Amino acid sequence: METKYDIQSILKFLPHRYPFILIDRVLELIPGDRIVALKNVTINEPYFQGHFPAFAVMPGVLIIEAMAQAGGVLYLDSQPEEKRGTLVYFMGMDKVKFRKPVVPGDQIVFEVTLLRQRLKAIKMAGTAKVEDKIVAEAELMAAFGE
């Protein structure tokens, strides 16, 4: 079943809050399979004050963090209701590539697919796109627990 979430629903899944909640909307979610999430990049983001004042570029590490947050929503939505409060910890990344800078005014669309799920960990593959062009991609690992 395909699901969509607004920011209020996302906040029920993730413990992150401003300024570190990095996805604004879930456009599509198929539990146990994939998620498509959106981030609106604005000049009001606090990191643009220092990265870089003369040419604002979203830090790559935050693009990957946003991708991981989308993956966290995918994982938690795929769990029974009683497990949805579980914390998900980012534990690794492989095959990370940055292809193009992300600047204020861009909308990033994250597509994250669940590759493997073990007892205490998951592996996901994700892309970040602006105007249908890949700006970043990675394989992400996360652990979950209490």
Side-chain angles (χ1 to χ4, degrees):
M1 178 194 302
E2 186 178 309
T3 306
K4 298 179 182 182
Y5 291 122
D6 63 10
I7 188 62
Q8 296 305 317
S9 298
I10 292 167
L11 292 173
K12 292 176 184 172
F13 285 97
L14 298 177
H16 307 79
R17 296 296 179 263
Y18 178 84
F20 218 70
I21 186 80
L22 297 173
I23 57 174
D24 296 317
R25 180 174 299 277
V26 172
L27 304 174
E28 176 185 335
L29 190 148
I30 301 169
D33 185 26
R34 72 187 286 265
I35 187 170
V36 178
L38 175 75
K39 163 75 176 149
N40 293 304
V41 181
T42 73
I43 194 65
N44 297 323
E45 308 282 352
Y47 46 81
F48 285 134
Q49 293 177 32
H51 199 268
F52 303 98
F55 182 72
V57 176
M58 185 174 180
V61 68
L62 294 181
I63 296 170
I64 300 302
E65 171 63 27
M67 190 183 298
Q69 288 181 18
V73 173
L74 170 62
Y75 168 73
L76 291 169
D77 183 83
S78 303
Q79 300 306 302
E81 191 72 37
E82 65 274 6
K83 289 191 174 185
R84 289 194 179 174
T86 303
L87 288 178
V88 180
Y89 300 99
F90 195 9
M91 59 184 245
M93 54 188 153
D94 290 321
K95 302 179 184 173
V96 177
K97 293 187 175 136
F98 299 103
R99 306 219 180 263
K100 183 178 175 256
V102 174
V103 298
D106 285 345
Q107 279 192 330
I108 309 173
V109 175
F110 298 97
E111 296 180 31
V112 180
T113 304
L114 189 61
L115 297 176
R116 277 195 309 268
Q117 183 172 339
R118 306 243 189 248
L119 188 60
K120 293 266 185 185
I122 54 174
K123 185 171 186 175
M124 304 167 283
T127 60
K129 295 179 181 178
V130 173
E131 296 179 1
D132 288 324
K133 292 186 174 100
I134 294 176
V135 296
E137 58 190 302
E139 286 185 358
L140 309 172
M141 285 75 63
F144 40 91
E146 297 154 15

